[in-house]
Amino acid sequence: MTRADGRSDDELRPVKITRGFQKHPAGSVLIEFGDTKVLCAASVTEGVPRWRKGSGLGWLTAEYAMLPSATDTRSERESVRGRIGGRTHEISRLIGRSLRACIDLKALGENTIALDCDVLQADGGTRTAAITGAYVALADAVTWLGAHRRLSDPRPLSCAVAAVSVGVVDGRVRLDLPYAEDSRAEVDANVVATDAGTLIEVQGTAEGATFTRRTLDAMLDVSMAGIRQLVELQAAALAAPYPGELPGAAS
Amino acid sequence: MTRADGRSDDELRPVKITRGFQKHPAGSVLIEFGDTKVLCAASVTEGVPRWRKGSGLGWLTAEYAMLPSATDTRSERESVRGRIGGRTHEISRLIGRSLRACIDLKALGENTIALDCDVLQADGGTRTAAITGAYVALADAVTWLGAHRRLSDPRPLSCAVAAVSVGVVDGRVRLDLPYAEDSRAEVDANVVATDAGTLIEVQGTAEGATFTRRTLDAMLDVSMAGIRQLVELQAAALAAPYPGELPGAAS
Amino acid sequence: MTRADGRSDDELRPVKITRGFQKHPAGSVLIEFGDTKVLCAASVTEGVPRWRKGSGLGWLTAEYAMLPSATDTRSERESVRGRIGGRTHEISRLIGRSLRACIDLKALGENTIALDCDVLQADGGTRTAAITGAYVALADAVTWLGAHRRLSDPRPLSCAVAAVSVGVVDGRVRLDLPYAEDSRAEVDANVVATDAGTLIEVQGTAEGATFTRRTLDAMLDVSMAGIRQLVELQAAALAAPYPGELPGAAS
Amino acid sequence: MTRADGRSDDELRPVKITRGFQKHPAGSVLIEFGDTKVLCAASVTEGVPRWRKGSGLGWLTAEYAMLPSATDTRSERESVRGRIGGRTHEISRLIGRSLRACIDLKALGENTIALDCDVLQADGGTRTAAITGAYVALADAVTWLGAHRRLSDPRPLSCAVAAVSVGVVDGRVRLDLPYAEDSRAEVDANVVATDAGTLIEVQGTAEGATFTRRTLDAMLDVSMAGIRQLVELQAAALAAPYPGELPGAAS
Amino acid sequence: MTRADGRSDDELRPVKITRGFQKHPAGSVLIEFGDTKVLCAASVTEGVPRWRKGSGLGWLTAEYAMLPSATDTRSERESVRGRIGGRTHEISRLIGRSLRACIDLKALGENTIALDCDVLQADGGTRTAAITGAYVALADAVTWLGAHRRLSDPRPLSCAVAAVSVGVVDGRVRLDLPYAEDSRAEVDANVVATDAGTLIEVQGTAEGATFTRRTLDAMLDVSMAGIRQLVELQAAALAAPYPGELPGAAS
Amino acid sequence: MTRADGRSDDELRPVKITRGFQKHPAGSVLIEFGDTKVLCAASVTEGVPRWRKGSGLGWLTAEYAMLPSATDTRSERESVRGRIGGRTHEISRLIGRSLRACIDLKALGENTIALDCDVLQADGGTRTAAITGAYVALADAVTWLGAHRRLSDPRPLSCAVAAVSVGVVDGRVRLDLPYAEDSRAEVDANVVATDAGTLIEVQGTAEGATFTRRTLDAMLDVSMAGIRQLVELQAAALAAPYPGELPGAAS
């Protein structure tokens, strides 16, 4: 009943956070949850969408996508199909909502931060890795905005945000599912929470069977413990000096 | 601190279920949660999508949409815009997943049931009304399939499915939010569950603030009580004879 | 040689007009021509399209659509296909042209009225039912605009507009064809006219065979008589007080 | 009260029919109604659309389009906009219906004829010129099919088809309107008829004002006389030998 | 080893340039390279795209398209497919770049010239015929702009531009390939050059095999000689007076 | 007159080739030309497109794309815009053509290789880096196919393929332009060639000015020398053992 990769049920996969992966965006993070690799970029542009102009508030938006070569079997490019699929839409919206929960859009001033989360390699948990990495990229972009004196308030981030998946596999509650487990999970949940232990988003879904309140509670316990570890890893990564030179003013 | 419509915090809006609203589909239900009105149709077609052919399994799919005139301010038609929005995609997928949880696709045989949930009037909770009404339309379509001897197994439905929204408004946990409450809720959740009291889907989202495990628990308590009432109303509606003549064989 | 539903050749199906079907639009009418049911909503928005700004003239536009579940066999959703079909385009344009014939766009001021005609159930004659119902919704929207003092001239409607289908079936000229007759008609026409007996639009089409001037004349005689009855039914419906409360200022 | 181009009210513009304008299609006709020039090509392909396979019946389809440079002010290319407009859809459907009225699809065998009507220069009446020219291209394509022994029956065309516009301008019924008249017509009609004097399609539309039965009758009288002349011009054009070499077998 | 059409290897097909083919655009040229016929229109509109406003510079853009009936086998309409293919994009961009090389956009003032190159009949070399014809249409449009006093500088054209294809067929370098040669060429190149003998664009592509520098040199020699002839033909065509009346001010 | 990055005019930027960057595709290479980084993946799927079935021949296709965060200013996602731009189409086609020149599609058997070239960071020369990297990924994919006994012939690659950009900047011919040079180049060329020194594709474009044959010759000299170095670097990279474990059978 042990997991194929030797982990215990409540153990995260190895997490690796590489800041400054790209030179152009104000924040650029390659995050790895085991074999899942997501490139999270935070690009700053002056101004806000039309419907928000003159409000004094900033805006934060997110887009999630997968390289065709990221998956086991090559997946078709959404630009070629000419339309974005429901899953992509759903995850992009989740990332945006999750990160907006930690930022004071007034402090941001009339700037827009676009979070692009592009999956380079997929092995389960791409959306939770994306959220966890996007927070680090966002923190770097906020530092960059501060250094360029473009913030209305010096500390727009009120908390850290991380996310993890959890599921019931072979009747056991397990943390941070790789694709091999995820694809046969009976229940599947994604939890987004803060470093203060409060929740931002809970999404639990039965796959085939239904589940009890007790199971939901067990999944929440395990995932909150996982998120505590993830926020520590984020903090450690951000404590290091920015690698390489900072992006220029143009972002 | 009472609600604008005079309800107590854990009280549903008046629910009305009208079966047989349209003559063509095998099941057609107009469901009303207060001023929210959703037309839920279950259309049967012989055969399954290409990727499923020869499997002996049936398929169930769902599409959600809103009439332009359903909302307070007229909304643009997605067919005119030429693309389906993220919110529509997200809700269509939720309805499909929720209803697939209660049906044995093997018993269905190689038939496809399409659940169309078209919002005629929107006042909050359209997705939960849609799921609750779609279950009744699905039950009628299954009866119709049985009557036409097109089921592999006479009882493909393993449970009833209903859904309700719940949120934190003015610091209080409240059930079944109308638009006026929903638009200023601090936390917003949708819960889909069965008549056995087990969960199918839980989606809780912070809007601006974050929320605690304790708040999540309170929201789940209130929503499960609401769902118990909804499954009773479904059962009562289905206990009545089918209004008018049954749809013909062509469906 | 009698008709399947027992009507005489020049007899309309039972017509039912329900005003105030939806609470948000300024006018909302459910119209029924036998089993054909169309929901016609007239939504008012301040301002006009860009190309008309500053002209002092208002604008009226129309969109026709069908629910997937409205037809005998479920039809695919145009929003899902990503494009609007030729038939939909054609009918939307016809409705818009027909209703613009009765309204003084100068009297309307720089307001736009959008007429949404959504077919809930189709059994032939959906476009003529849509035009006939849209006139009633438009009349209610104009009353609403007057009550909110947003008209440049108090009486922008110069006439009433109604429409009916007529065809040659089994060699006989017949009024208001249901689907069963329409699908095997040799000639098919739609006539839009005013309460003054003048014409707005005549569209006659041979289906397979061609037709003579004499047949066209017979079809026009029958349809003009049908339209005389329809404008009386519209007037009777509009003579009643508005059901329920009036929509608020936001429309 | 004479017309700007000196014609009498019931006079056609000069008509010119050039067969064999392109070398690839089985029929290719450049038709001119005054300054309106439409290139009508009839391309034959073996086989029919999927929904018609095995029926033994052929198919005829039509597509209408305008070059961006055809109009007074350059119009945007529909391929660039990514969608076909309602007017284009409407006219394509009209051309297809009109020409299907004269062909026995059984005699055609399982072949498809695509009629492409591309407007090279527009000056009013493009749809009626297109129908009139398309008939000549179709006749040549049918001859070509016969010469290649691909017809089930040697004479699939049961009649000739021509079309003309007519309108009320300055209170007078006038035939074959150029753009300058069309754009200020009070009533506007297009009539499609056969060489036997029977009708295929009548479309009359009020522009601003409404019109009486008497006006409709006058418009029909004038247009039927115009169509008699057009079918003579078609017959004369087709009586000449095919210019240049016949297209090869590949069509 | 002679060519199917009897030409020598370095000989152009018969070239025919017809100015004033359409009455609306400021320049309209039908150009023929053998059986390839392209209609090149230069339409002038006041103003420039948004991103260029206030720059004092004009703009020149080009769009290439093919009629469905232009090719041996009917090709599908890109407007119907809903997207423009890669080949079309590529050629449109090539034409625009090529013609922008000869025009001083400052002298043009804030006007836009749209070059529409629509292939009426295709037999190889459509893009080179399009560029060669578009130059003549552009020259006429510039004359028209000058006559209407809309140029900042009276002579915005710094050179003439022409283009020709060249390829290796049966091991021999051949000029101006018709489709029958082009489709089996081992190497295929398009060369765009000026009347001064300088290059604007060189595109050489191996088809199946690769090629040597020596072959490239031979292809360039032959094509430059061909372009010298084409610029003479352009000059001769432009030396004649404009056929018919000039387009009006509206263009 | 030295270059900003200190290189001599005919010097390549530092090139880095990392094989096995992703675990799923049969070949996956991260190639760097200075700050330009392109991820090139070669995915194998059994079977060929429909139009090629039963031919016994394989197929090779390529798609190029750029991450929004790859450029100095964030670029919009083509999947979000709903259409692929002309530049993307053009480069995808160039990559496909270039690599098809070196592979024997008969030896490949009825397999398809999709080359996905995703630009992670752009600093000029993305298309030439993509071609150069794609060749290495293709070589690994071919090895993988051989190891899985899916080749009809053991050595389908007839040559190596590499590409480089060259331009005229400040009047000097310079190799391998970074964005800062490329954006102000007077002439810009891309050359694709083989390890045998033969050409596959030459594309030279004037930007503003025109250029002489002599300049073209100088550009070809410099680029062919650059390509000689690139094919050596490719060979060196491929001489090393495959890093990590080979992708599984599913590819």
Side-chain angles (χ1 to χ4, degrees), chain B residues 55-73:
Chain B
S55 65
L57 302 172
W59 186 236
L60 183 153
T61 183
E63 284 175 12
Y64 166 96
M66 232 188 239
L67 294 199
S69 54
T71 42
D72 187 43
T73 304

Side-chain angles (χ1 to χ4, degrees), chain E residues 58-73:
Chain E
W59 187 236
L60 183 153
T61 183
E63 285 176 11
Y64 166 97
M66 233 187 236
L67 293 199
S69 53
T71 43
D72 188 44
T73 305

Side-chain angles (χ1 to χ4, degrees), chain A residues 199, chain B residues 173 211-221:
Chain A
L199 292 158
Chain B
V173 171
F211 58 102
T212 61
R213 278 287 293 273
R214 182 187 299 255
T215 297
L216 179 63
D217 282 335
M219 292 196 297
L220 285 165
D221 289 342

Side-chain angles (χ1 to χ4, degrees), chain C residues 50 83, chain E residues 80-81:
Chain C
R50 206 175 317 173
R83 38 176 107 183
Chain E
V80 169
R81 285 176 48 214

Side-chain angles (χ1 to χ4, degrees), chain E residues 6-47:
Chain E
R7 279 186 289 152
S8 62
D9 285 345
D10 60 354
E11 194 180 341
L12 293 172
R13 288 179 287 179
V15 174
K16 191 170 163 199
I17 297 174
T18 308
R19 289 163 68 210
F21 189 82
Q22 293 162 295
K23 71 171 186 174
H24 296 305
S28 171
V29 167
L30 181 69
I31 190 161
E32 301 173 55
F33 277 20
D35 274 344
T36 287
K37 303 184 188 187
V38 186
L39 180 49
C40 307
S43 301
V44 177
T45 41
E46 223 176 303

Side-chain angles (χ1 to χ4, degrees), chain D residues 129-186:
Chain D
I131 291 168
T132 307
Y135 171 75
V136 180
L138 175 61
D140 275 333
V142 161
T143 302
W144 182 93
L145 277 164
H148 288 79
R149 301 184 180 282
R150 286 171 57 185
L151 292 173
S152 308
D153 182 297
R155 297 183 61 92
L157 294 177
S158 57
C159 55
V161 175
V164 77
S165 74
V166 62
V168 179
V169 185
D170 301 333
R172 301 175 68 94
V173 171
R174 285 181 169 163
L175 187 66
D176 190 17
L177 309 184
Y179 179 73
E181 289 182 345
D182 185 49
S183 57
R184 61 193 179 85
E186 297 128 48

